[in-house]
Amino acid sequence: MGNSFGHLFRITTWGESHGGGVGVVIDGCPPRLPLTEADIQPDLDRRRPGQSAIVTPRQEADRVEILSGTFKGKTLGTPISMWVKNEDARPEAYSEMATKYRPSHADYTYQAKFGIRNWQGGGRTSARETVGRVAAGAVAKKILREEFGVAILAYVAQVQRIAAHIDRESVTFKQIESNIVRCPDESAARKMIRLIEKMRRAGDSVGGLIECVARGVPPGWGEPVFDRLEADLGKAMLSLPASKGFEIGSGFAGTLLTGLAHNDAFRMKDGKVRTVTNNSGGVQGGISNGETIYCRVAFKPVATVMREQQTVDIHLKNTTLKGRGRHDPCVLPRAVPMVEAMAALVLVDHAMRQRGQCG
Amino acid sequence: MGNSFGHLFRITTWGESHGGGVGVVIDGCPPRLPLTEADIQPDLDRRRPGQSAIVTPRQEADRVEILSGTFKGKTLGTPISMWVKNEDARPEAYSEMATKYRPSHADYTYQAKFGIRNWQGGGRTSARETVGRVAAGAVAKKILREEFGVAILAYVAQVQRIAAHIDRESVTFKQIESNIVRCPDESAARKMIRLIEKMRRAGDSVGGLIECVARGVPPGWGEPVFDRLEADLGKAMLSLPASKGFEIGSGFAGTLLTGLAHNDAFRMKDGKVRTVTNNSGGVQGGISNGETIYCRVAFKPVATVMREQQTVDIHLKNTTLKGRGRHDPCVLPRAVPMVEAMAALVLVDHAMRQRGQCG
Amino acid sequence: MGNSFGHLFRITTWGESHGGGVGVVIDGCPPRLPLTEADIQPDLDRRRPGQSAIVTPRQEADRVEILSGTFKGKTLGTPISMWVKNEDARPEAYSEMATKYRPSHADYTYQAKFGIRNWQGGGRTSARETVGRVAAGAVAKKILREEFGVAILAYVAQVQRIAAHIDRESVTFKQIESNIVRCPDESAARKMIRLIEKMRRAGDSVGGLIECVARGVPPGWGEPVFDRLEADLGKAMLSLPASKGFEIGSGFAGTLLTGLAHNDAFRMKDGKVRTVTNNSGGVQGGISNGETIYCRVAFKPVATVMREQQTVDIHLKNTTLKGRGRHDPCVLPRAVPMVEAMAALVLVDHAMRQRGQCG
Amino acid sequence: MGNSFGHLFRITTWGESHGGGVGVVIDGCPPRLPLTEADIQPDLDRRRPGQSAIVTPRQEADRVEILSGTFKGKTLGTPISMWVKNEDARPEAYSEMATKYRPSHADYTYQAKFGIRNWQGGGRTSARETVGRVAAGAVAKKILREEFGVAILAYVAQVQRIAAHIDRESVTFKQIESNIVRCPDESAARKMIRLIEKMRRAGDSVGGLIECVARGVPPGWGEPVFDRLEADLGKAMLSLPASKGFEIGSGFAGTLLTGLAHNDAFRMKDGKVRTVTNNSGGVQGGISNGETIYCRVAFKPVATVMREQQTVDIHLKNTTLKGRGRHDPCVLPRAVPMVEAMAALVLVDHAMRQRGQCG
């Protein structure tokens, strides 16, 4: 269970890192949207291993194929099935994982839950699972852009203690993609890259923050009570591998202000109700207020390190395990399209729900 | 939409702050659980206004009534409907809200979404909506305690910059309830109370952090991919009024460590697979690992302040608004049972899902 | 579980025949719809016991109260909670039911499922549970009528072997309500009433068929594959107490025709695509085609008869049981508003889903 | 939307008759179940075109491939993705369908709903869509058989007016599969085959009834109110292409009896609560009572006939259309595994829900 997300625009992902492949089914996509593999592949290329010197060198082309739901280049309104074949299957590389639980991975918890696990490359727990999300997210982003005029951008805002300075109202996709760490602050980006390279040499890893902005969301998206925009965005982001925290608007820092300082005063501007500040992050009472929505996701340093660590084996004996082979010292550059995808999935679903209930 | 939460243990809340009342329907409660109003009322008393000198003086008895789903003091397995009648209805106190949008409240966004709103006391956006959650949470906590041996506790961990020091493995309910701010660190609690009293005098407000722990969760609860425990906990907490952030385990601070320092080594202890540290917060790959689950929720300072603020009115004119009447300078003490309730709702649902799929 | 119905217009019912009351929460109702109790009560009056000489004499006023979701006579878009207090509680009348399972009732199966049951008047298995559906259905019918121009009518089409002749394109609400059996064929109605009166005297019961028509549904409502209109209508009707069968369009009789005779030829008429015949019942491939939708529901004779029957008791001993007290010899007249309600709930949900996905 | 079915054992199907292929994702399958393609293929072979002289001669091997969710021949508890590649793609055979709506097909309604359609072979409206259901149903049947001791069988009970006589308590799979029409009454089967052959020669088609039995279901499966077993079975069956009616137990014929004759008396037998008759069809109040569950599905004669019919074209002009090419004069033999699959999907889901809620 738990492999579906969304209500009206609903995706179901499937696949293990080693097996036939990974994929996704989108149910509820609006009809008549122009859509081909060329709309999907660029985001998969931003997600894939081996794309730059600072990510895992595992080589996968990750060619997406649309199997259903389109006709002559347009969506039909029926389920869109997309998949990527697995290629780089080297089960022998993982033989130690068959008997030892990797620290801070999900090997042990999957075994405890299901009484069985695919230990090759992490199986379903592998970040490879996110291929389906990114593919579906590309569709969601296109709908948001073309039908609703909403733009979604994500970027690396901090690597360990190196924080970037970014104007979220003006940052562009081009700026983000201008360097391999996907941080639009060039000076910070250079430091981040150096830190990641250092971590690779040390066989260690680092985490950090990704910030995501959605510009152009009209007032009125989001639901009262449980399905607030920030609740659904939070769930979406916290379902990403290695994420440990989420905040919207002023977030944790906002707890240091008093109410008077934190409140966003309303003022009319160009005939529209606007707020003077945006501590709310574009969401009030769970519903968008027309300002830019922004949130941040905390990613822990990835658990795979090239160093010996204490662990236990499947026979419940203490032992040690040393990571070997491919090493991804920082997941953040590849997580950027994942964060965008999850934000887009939440927003397109709420756009359709709003249309469904309120016409 | 969006007023239901959970899959197998599913609640639906209803009600506005001014209207007939507020309530909840629980669908899927296991049968034969002893249950009367006496199991519910204590948590509602911890949630209600007027309970102490540092919360809103609004007086509401909040007497819960069980309307269905029990028979001779036991649950039937059928829907449990509970409600609390509204009493303190003074619509005249809110007449200014009929025409002016309160800053950082949901008045404007509800109007934008629905084209109509109940402006009396915030209507559905009022924190009064959480009565239903707390009532359902009391049932969930009882099931977790009696059927699964799981204990859930929440407490105030920080008010603005005043941070408490608390041992999450040993903290008790009695310690938490020993003072009106619900912080089990007595020294910090005193400072917190003084700060909140100062804020009341200033007509201002403060926010902070609530930490929640779940002890006794067996390995194996939680689902891969979208319904990870931390994702569902995050959604649950971020659906609470005034929440702006969520973190599990090491959370945001964990991004400052390297992987080697952050990883939780496995060691056998008393015949069980245990981790030496618990940066994971009891959850790995979205599934419980048997360690104590802990998470923190950031609450912004409440938006109602007794000071004049800039805003706009329903005629789209700039104006000002000054809060008057009852003033809740800090929502944290009353939010503690809400946080417990949301954690319990997530965990009992996953316990039942695990039983349903894996037997 | 299983006490909710619908996706975008979603209802959750609660309540036992003996307990605080019975009710329903509607989540997802469009905002700004004029709505008061006066819109709901007439359908509850058509459903209630004691309304005529041919139904159960149990006396219940069934006064509905709206507890939330409206403001100054209009819907808010938030959950609408409605309930009816239980009045006629005479648990002593049911003492024999505490120890004996009534044949063809749900006493035994509830006990088997939950290990506990409310034996007073059938508890949750009582037809009293349908109060919530009928109340929600009244709202759904109003939305369909006022927002979408769709009219829903149901009527008794057959009692045992007495079949009515009715033109489903022209039949009116007034004709249906012109007699106590709710059959718009006056001649058949008289025979039906006589048969039901005879059954009452014999302490026995009869069943029959209710037909439901929906006029004015535009082409395009309904979903491919699992959520076809006929599938959702079938589920809706088969969830009503005592229903045993469902057919749409030509239904079972259609299996006696060949394809050539059964197919509905298309012809243009007044600029619209129309079918010459309507064996499809207004639905093709699960989606409405603009013709009148019609279906029939088979209701078994009600299980409560005033005669001695063989059964077993809770101690697993063979015994006998004789129905006593109030006797409802034919459920059909009271089931008419239930059938309308279920049809309306299905259609309004699909109307909103269509709007949500396809704009 | 509408391409998913089930709650705990949830399937999502995808695919058009002409496109990459058709498939299904199962989410929630219990772990550790032995499963390979050899468990699935036999049911697909029973479903596929070209299997005998009385079904459509379209030739498709329909080789199923499991892409995820198993490891070394056992289920992992993660999503099981299965698909069948499309082979027999001859779009030119369907060129007339690009401009003309086939009578009693879904061409027009899909166009009305989505504003676009895949006119090649019916696209998503093709019965080819059921490949995914049958594949998932094979898994569900295996779980029911091996984990719960439940056997599901379906067979052709009537073709047009030719009715079979079958003892539903003793009928075997072998008897059903002993002839190409899948009717275990040999004498009736011969007449049915002759009728179908006659229809083929006439370019016409016939419908009929399929009966389905589930033996070994314990008391207690099914939910009160909306998710009654008969409601979910009804929805499942009415979602099958060409189905127009559903009945459980005595069904429509039961409306001709009085309550006294229709009621199923309880008697103890071998220490178990049993019913003397089984008019209830194994379900009372929506919940299984331990007797054999049986239901019947009415299938209309298939709409594709090799004769000229009146219709309209996409330019809204009256015209005629003559079916050509492959002709399936009776869908019933191939629909038998579809009916089994849908019954199994409903029952396994309820088995898991019962386990989840009641332990």
Side-chain angles (χ1 to χ4, degrees):
Chain A
M1 289 181 64
N3 296 282
S4 293
F5 188 81
H7 290 82
L8 289 193
F9 189 92
R10 184 171 179 85
I11 72 166
T12 302
T13 71
W14 57 268
E16 278 83 38
S17 64
H18 291 74
V22 288
V24 66
V25 182
I26 302 173
D27 194 9
C29 183
R32 301 187 307 278
L33 178 79
L35 189 76
T36 69
E37 281 88 348
D39 293 298
I40 315 295
Q41 194 62 48
D43 273 341
L44 290 180
D45 291 344
R46 295 167 74 214
R47 193 216 74 90
R48 80 177 173 82
Q51 65 182 267
S52 77
I54 57 169
V55 305
T56 171
R58 179 171 163 153
Q59 285 298 334
E60 293 165 303
D62 283 355
R63 285 285 148 217
V64 68
E65 188 182 358
I66 299 177
L67 295 174
S68 71
T70 62
F71 185 59
K72 298 185 181 295
K74 289 192 178 171
T75 59
L76 285 163
T78 58
I80 300 170
S81 178
M82 300 187 281
W83 82 315
V84 164
K85 228 176 186 155
N86 284 338
E87 291 176 359
D88 182 26
R90 304 183 313 158
E92 72 287 353
Y94 301 100
S95 58
E96 207 173 4
M97 288 162 59
T99 55
K100 295 178 179 177
Y101 299 126
R102 292 170 297 163
S104 287
H105 275 275
D107 302 340
Y108 169 64
T109 54
Y110 267 62
Q111 186 69 39
K113 179 175 192 65
F114 295 121
I116 184 175
R117 71 194 162 95
N118 179 344
W119 45 260
Q120 296 173 339
R124 184 73 178 146
T125 81
S126 162
R128 185 152 180 75
E129 167 270 320
T130 60
V131 161
R133 312 188 190 208
V134 169
V139 180
K141 283 194 288 183
K142 184 162 186 182
I143 299 169
L144 286 170
R145 194 170 55 236
E146 303 198 353
E147 291 202 20
F148 297 100
V150 169
I152 289 176
L153 291 174
Y155 42 81
V156 173
Q158 188 162 333
V159 176
Q160 216 190 36
R161 294 174 192 278
I162 307 167
H165 296 95
I166 300 153
D167 175 20
R168 63 178 72 99
E169 299 294 338
S170 65
V171 62
T172 66
F173 182 74
K174 201 175 152 193
Q175 288 165 356
I176 296 166
E177 296 297 314
S178 69
N179 60 63
I180 56 177
V181 79
R182 295 204 165 89
C183 171
D185 173 342
E186 274 303 318
S187 159
R190 277 190 298 272
K191 292 179 204 159
M192 291 169 176
I193 293 169
R194 276 199 299 272
L195 175 61
I196 296 169
E197 285 169 341
K198 184 179 144 199
M199 284 295 135
R200 178 191 299 287
R201 289 189 301 270
D204 206 347
S205 66
V206 277
L209 306 182
I210 292 179
E211 185 163 273
C212 182
V213 299
R215 297 197 293 241
V217 175
W221 291 6
E223 302 286 338
V225 185
F226 298 112
D227 295 355
R228 290 167 194 245
L229 270 193
E230 64 267 44
D232 280 355
L233 285 169
K235 173 171 169 128
M237 300 307 172
L238 290 157
S239 76
L240 286 170
S243 66
K244 302 298 282 185
F246 171 87
E247 59 183 2
I248 188 159
S250 64
F252 279 83
T255 65
L256 305 181
L257 301 178
T258 71
L260 202 54
H262 190 272
N263 281 355
D264 294 318
F266 284 115
R267 285 286 94 174
M268 294 305 300
K269 190 174 168 186
D270 303 332
K272 286 187 178 160
V273 176
R274 299 292 305 275
T275 62
V276 176
T277 48
N278 189 11
N279 286 315
S280 298
V283 178
Q284 289 173 331
I287 300 169
S288 60
N289 68 354
E291 303 299 321
T292 294
I293 295 173
Y294 65 96
C295 60
R296 272 173 304 277
V297 190
F299 289 89
K300 68 171 186 176
V302 287
T304 301
V305 292
M306 302 295 106
R307 305 275 283 274
E308 192 169 84
Q309 298 175 88
Q310 291 190 318
T311 192
V312 302
D313 65 19
I314 60 172
H315 310 295
L316 304 185
K317 300 286 181 202
N318 285 335
T319 183
T320 59
L321 178 69
K322 186 173 184 300
R324 63 192 71 199
R326 287 131 180 194
H327 174 218
D328 200 354
C330 182
V331 77
L332 294 170
R334 295 175 55 211
V336 163
M338 300 178 201
V339 166
E340 287 173 11
M342 295 314 297
L345 291 168
V346 168
L347 288 171
V348 80
D349 192 56
H350 276 282
M352 291 168 70
R353 290 169 77 173
Q354 170 68 1
R355 193 160 69 178
Q357 184 183 358
C358 300
Chain B
M1 288 182 65
N3 296 282
S4 294
F5 188 81
H7 290 82
L8 289 193
F9 188 93
R10 184 170 180 84
I11 72 165
T12 302
T13 71
W14 57 268
E16 279 84 37
S17 64
H18 291 75
V22 288
V24 65
V25 181
I26 303 173
D27 195 9
C29 183
R32 302 187 306 279
L33 179 80
L35 189 76
T36 69
E37 280 88 350
D39 293 300
I40 316 295
Q41 193 62 49
D43 273 342
L44 290 180
D45 291 344
R46 295 167 74 215
R47 193 216 73 90
R48 80 176 173 83
Q51 65 181 268
S52 77
I54 57 170
V55 304
T56 171
R58 181 171 162 152
Q59 285 298 334
E60 291 165 303
D62 284 355
R63 285 285 148 215
V64 68
E65 189 182 358
I66 299 178
L67 294 173
S68 71
T70 63
F71 185 60
K72 299 185 182 295
K74 288 192 178 172
T75 58
L76 284 164
T78 58
I80 300 171
S81 178
M82 299 187 281
W83 82 315
V84 164
K85 229 179 184 151
N86 284 338
E87 290 176 359
D88 182 26
R90 305 184 311 159
E92 72 287 354
Y94 302 99
S95 58
E96 205 173 4
M97 289 162 59
T99 54
K100 295 178 179 176
Y101 299 126
R102 291 171 298 163
S104 286
H105 275 276
D107 303 339
Y108 169 65
T109 54
Y110 268 62
Q111 186 70 39
K113 180 175 191 66
F114 295 121
I116 185 175
R117 71 194 163 95
N118 179 344
W119 43 261
Q120 296 174 339
R124 183 75 177 145
T125 81
S126 162
R128 185 151 180 76
E129 167 271 319
T130 60
V131 161
R133 311 188 190 208
V134 169
V139 180
K141 283 194 289 182
K142 185 163 186 182
I143 299 167
L144 287 170
R145 195 169 55 237
E146 303 197 354
E147 290 201 20
F148 297 100
V150 169
I152 289 176
L153 291 174
Y155 42 81
V156 173
Q158 188 163 331
V159 176
Q160 215 190 37
R161 291 173 194 280
I162 307 167
H165 297 94
I166 300 153
D167 175 19
R168 64 178 72 99
E169 299 295 338
S170 65
V171 62
T172 66
F173 181 75
K174 203 176 151 191
Q175 289 165 355
I176 296 165
E177 295 297 315
S178 69
N179 59 62
I180 56 176
V181 78
R182 294 203 166 88
C183 171
D185 173 342
E186 274 304 316
S187 159
R190 278 191 297 271
K191 291 179 205 159
M192 290 170 176
I193 293 169
R194 277 200 298 272
L195 175 61
I196 297 170
E197 285 169 341
K198 184 179 143 197
M199 284 294 135
R200 177 192 298 290
R201 289 191 300 270
D204 207 347
S205 66
V206 276
L209 306 183
I210 292 179
E211 185 162 274
C212 182
V213 298
R215 297 197 292 242
V217 175
W221 291 6
E223 302 286 339
V225 185
F226 297 113
D227 296 354
R228 290 168 194 244
L229 271 192
E230 64 267 42
D232 280 355
L233 285 168
K235 173 171 169 130
M237 300 307 173
L238 290 158
S239 76
L240 285 170
S243 66
K244 301 298 282 184
F246 171 87
E247 59 184 1
I248 188 159
S250 64
F252 279 82
T255 64
L256 305 182
L257 302 177
T258 71
L260 202 53
H262 189 273
N263 281 355
D264 295 318
F266 285 115
R267 284 287 94 172
M268 293 305 301
K269 190 174 170 187
D270 303 331
K272 287 186 177 161
V273 177
R274 298 293 304 275
T275 63
V276 176
T277 49
N278 189 10
N279 286 316
S280 298
V283 178
Q284 290 173 329
I287 299 169
S288 60
N289 67 355
E291 303 299 323
T292 294
I293 295 173
Y294 65 97
C295 59
R296 273 173 304 277
V297 191
F299 288 90
K300 68 171 186 177
V302 286
T304 302
V305 291
M306 301 294 106
R307 304 275 284 274
E308 192 169 83
Q309 297 175 88
Q310 291 190 318
T311 192
V312 301
D313 64 21
I314 59 173
H315 310 297
L316 303 185
K317 299 287 182 203
N318 286 336
T319 182
T320 60
L321 177 69
K322 186 172 183 301
R324 62 193 71 199
R326 286 130 179 195
H327 174 218
D328 201 354
C330 183
V331 77
L332 294 170
R334 296 175 54 211
V336 163
M338 301 178 200
V339 166
E340 287 174 10
M342 296 314 298
L345 291 168
V346 168
L347 287 171
V348 80
D349 191 57
H350 277 283
M352 291 168 69
R353 290 168 77 172
Q354 171 66 2
R355 192 160 69 178
Q357 184 182 1
C358 300
Chain C
M1 288 182 64
N3 296 282
S4 293
F5 188 81
H7 291 81
L8 288 194
F9 189 92
R10 185 170 179 84
I11 71 166
T12 302
T13 72
W14 57 268
E16 280 83 37
S17 64
H18 292 74
V22 288
V24 66
V25 181
I26 302 173
D27 194 9
C29 183
R32 302 187 307 277
L33 178 79
L35 189 76
T36 69
E37 281 88 349
D39 293 298
I40 316 294
Q41 194 62 49
D43 273 342
L44 289 180
D45 291 344
R46 295 167 74 213
R47 193 216 74 91
R48 79 177 173 84
Q51 65 181 265
S52 77
I54 57 170
V55 304
T56 171
R58 180 172 161 151
Q59 286 297 335
E60 292 166 303
D62 283 356
R63 286 283 147 218
V64 69
E65 189 181 357
I66 299 177
L67 294 174
S68 72
T70 63
F71 185 60
K72 299 186 182 294
K74 289 192 178 171
T75 58
L76 284 164
T78 58
I80 300 171
S81 178
M82 299 188 281
W83 81 316
V84 164
K85 229 178 185 153
N86 284 339
E87 291 175 0
D88 182 25
R90 304 183 312 158
E92 73 288 352
Y94 302 99
S95 59
E96 206 172 3
M97 289 162 59
T99 55
K100 295 178 180 178
Y101 300 126
R102 290 170 299 164
S104 286
H105 274 277
D107 303 339
Y108 169 65
T109 53
Y110 266 63
Q111 186 69 39
K113 179 176 191 67
F114 295 120
I116 185 175
R117 71 193 163 97
N118 179 345
W119 44 260
Q120 296 173 339
R124 183 75 178 146
T125 81
S126 163
R128 185 152 180 75
E129 166 269 320
T130 59
V131 161
R133 311 188 192 207
V134 169
V139 180
K141 283 194 289 183
K142 184 162 187 182
I143 299 168
L144 286 170
R145 195 169 56 236
E146 302 197 355
E147 290 202 20
F148 297 99
V150 169
I152 289 176
L153 291 174
Y155 43 82
V156 173
Q158 188 163 331
V159 176
Q160 215 189 38
R161 293 174 194 279
I162 306 167
H165 297 93
I166 300 153
D167 175 19
R168 63 178 71 100
E169 300 294 339
S170 65
V171 61
T172 66
F173 182 74
K174 201 175 153 194
Q175 288 165 355
I176 296 166
E177 294 298 315
S178 69
N179 60 62
I180 56 176
V181 78
R182 294 203 167 88
C183 172
D185 173 342
E186 274 302 317
S187 160
R190 279 190 298 272
K191 291 179 205 161
M192 290 169 176
I193 292 168
R194 277 200 299 271
L195 175 61
I196 297 169
E197 285 169 340
K198 185 178 143 197
M199 284 295 134
R200 178 192 297 288
R201 289 189 300 271
D204 208 347
S205 66
V206 277
L209 306 182
I210 292 179
E211 185 163 275
C212 181
V213 299
R215 297 197 293 242
V217 175
W221 291 6
E223 301 287 338
V225 185
F226 297 112
D227 296 354
R228 290 168 194 244
L229 270 192
E230 63 268 44
D232 279 355
L233 285 169
K235 173 170 170 133
M237 300 306 172
L238 290 158
S239 77
L240 286 170
S243 66
K244 301 298 283 184
F246 170 87
E247 58 183 4
I248 188 160
S250 64
F252 279 83
T255 64
L256 305 181
L257 302 177
T258 71
L260 202 54
H262 190 272
N263 281 355
D264 295 318
F266 284 115
R267 285 286 94 173
M268 294 305 300
K269 190 175 169 185
D270 303 332
K272 287 187 177 160
V273 177
R274 299 292 305 274
T275 63
V276 176
T277 49
N278 189 11
N279 286 316
S280 299
V283 178
Q284 289 173 330
I287 300 168
S288 60
N289 67 354
E291 304 298 323
T292 294
I293 295 173
Y294 65 97
C295 60
R296 272 173 304 278
V297 191
F299 289 89
K300 68 170 186 176
V302 286
T304 302
V305 291
M306 303 294 106
R307 306 275 284 274
E308 192 168 84
Q309 299 176 88
Q310 291 190 318
T311 192
V312 302
D313 63 21
I314 59 173
H315 310 296
L316 303 185
K317 299 287 180 201
N318 285 336
T319 182
T320 61
L321 177 70
K322 187 175 182 299
R324 62 193 71 199
R326 286 132 180 193
H327 174 218
D328 200 354
C330 182
V331 76
L332 295 170
R334 295 175 54 210
V336 163
M338 301 178 201
V339 166
E340 286 174 10
M342 296 313 299
L345 291 169
V346 168
L347 288 172
V348 80
D349 192 55
H350 277 283
M352 291 168 69
R353 290 168 77 172
Q354 170 67 2
R355 193 159 69 178
Q357 184 183 0
C358 299
Chain D
M1 289 181 64
N3 296 283
S4 293
F5 189 81
H7 291 82
L8 289 193
F9 189 92
R10 184 171 180 84
I11 71 166
T12 302
T13 72
W14 56 269
E16 279 83 37
S17 64
H18 292 74
V22 287
V24 66
V25 181
I26 302 174
D27 194 9
C29 184
R32 303 188 306 278
L33 178 80
L35 188 77
T36 69
E37 280 88 349
D39 293 297
I40 315 295
Q41 194 62 49
D43 273 342
L44 290 180
D45 291 344
R46 295 167 74 214
R47 193 216 74 91
R48 79 177 173 83
Q51 65 182 266
S52 78
I54 57 170
V55 304
T56 171
R58 179 171 162 153
Q59 287 297 334
E60 291 165 304
D62 282 355
R63 286 284 148 217
V64 68
E65 188 182 357
I66 299 177
L67 294 173
S68 71
T70 63
F71 184 61
K72 299 185 181 295
K74 290 193 177 170
T75 59
L76 284 164
T78 58
I80 301 170
S81 177
M82 298 187 282
W83 81 315
V84 164
K85 229 178 185 152
N86 284 338
E87 290 175 0
D88 182 25
R90 303 184 312 158
E92 72 288 354
Y94 302 99
S95 58
E96 206 173 3
M97 289 162 59
T99 54
K100 295 178 180 178
Y101 299 126
R102 291 169 299 162
S104 286
H105 275 277
D107 302 339
Y108 169 65
T109 54
Y110 267 62
Q111 186 69 39
K113 180 176 191 66
F114 295 120
I116 185 176
R117 71 195 163 95
N118 179 344
W119 43 261
Q120 296 174 341
R124 183 74 178 146
T125 82
S126 163
R128 186 153 180 76
E129 166 269 320
T130 60
V131 161
R133 310 187 191 208
V134 169
V139 180
K141 283 195 289 183
K142 184 162 187 182
I143 299 168
L144 286 171
R145 193 169 58 236
E146 304 197 354
E147 291 202 19
F148 297 99
V150 169
I152 289 175
L153 291 174
Y155 42 83
V156 173
Q158 188 163 331
V159 175
Q160 214 190 38
R161 293 173 194 279
I162 306 167
H165 297 94
I166 300 153
D167 175 20
R168 64 177 71 100
E169 300 295 338
S170 64
V171 62
T172 66
F173 182 75
K174 201 175 152 192
Q175 287 164 357
I176 296 166
E177 295 297 314
S178 70
N179 60 63
I180 55 176
V181 78
R182 294 202 167 89
C183 171
D185 172 343
E186 274 304 318
S187 159
R190 279 190 297 272
K191 292 178 204 161
M192 290 170 177
I193 292 168
R194 276 200 299 272
L195 175 61
I196 296 169
E197 285 169 340
K198 186 179 143 197
M199 284 295 134
R200 178 192 298 288
R201 290 189 300 271
D204 207 346
S205 66
V206 277
L209 306 182
I210 291 179
E211 185 162 275
C212 182
V213 299
R215 297 197 293 242
V217 175
W221 291 7
E223 301 287 337
V225 185
F226 298 112
D227 296 354
R228 291 168 194 245
L229 271 192
E230 64 267 44
D232 279 354
L233 285 168
K235 172 169 170 134
M237 300 307 173
L238 290 157
S239 76
L240 285 170
S243 66
K244 301 297 283 184
F246 171 86
E247 59 183 4
I248 188 159
S250 65
F252 279 83
T255 64
L256 305 181
L257 302 177
T258 70
L260 202 54
H262 189 272
N263 281 355
D264 295 319
F266 284 116
R267 285 287 93 174
M268 294 304 300
K269 191 174 167 185
D270 304 332
K272 286 188 177 160
V273 177
R274 299 292 305 274
T275 63
V276 176
T277 48
N278 189 11
N279 286 316
S280 299
V283 178
Q284 290 174 329
I287 300 168
S288 60
N289 67 354
E291 304 298 323
T292 294
I293 295 173
Y294 65 96
C295 61
R296 272 173 304 278
V297 190
F299 289 89
K300 68 171 186 177
V302 287
T304 303
V305 291
M306 302 294 106
R307 305 274 283 275
E308 192 170 83
Q309 298 176 87
Q310 291 190 318
T311 193
V312 301
D313 64 21
I314 59 173
H315 310 296
L316 304 185
K317 300 286 181 203
N318 286 336
T319 182
T320 60
L321 178 70
K322 187 174 183 302
R324 63 193 70 199
R326 286 130 180 194
H327 174 217
D328 200 353
C330 183
V331 76
L332 295 170
R334 295 175 55 211
V336 163
M338 300 178 201
V339 166
E340 287 173 10
M342 296 313 299
L345 291 169
V346 169
L347 287 171
V348 80
D349 191 57
H350 277 283
M352 291 168 69
R353 289 168 77 172
Q354 169 68 2
R355 192 159 70 178
Q357 185 183 359
C358 300

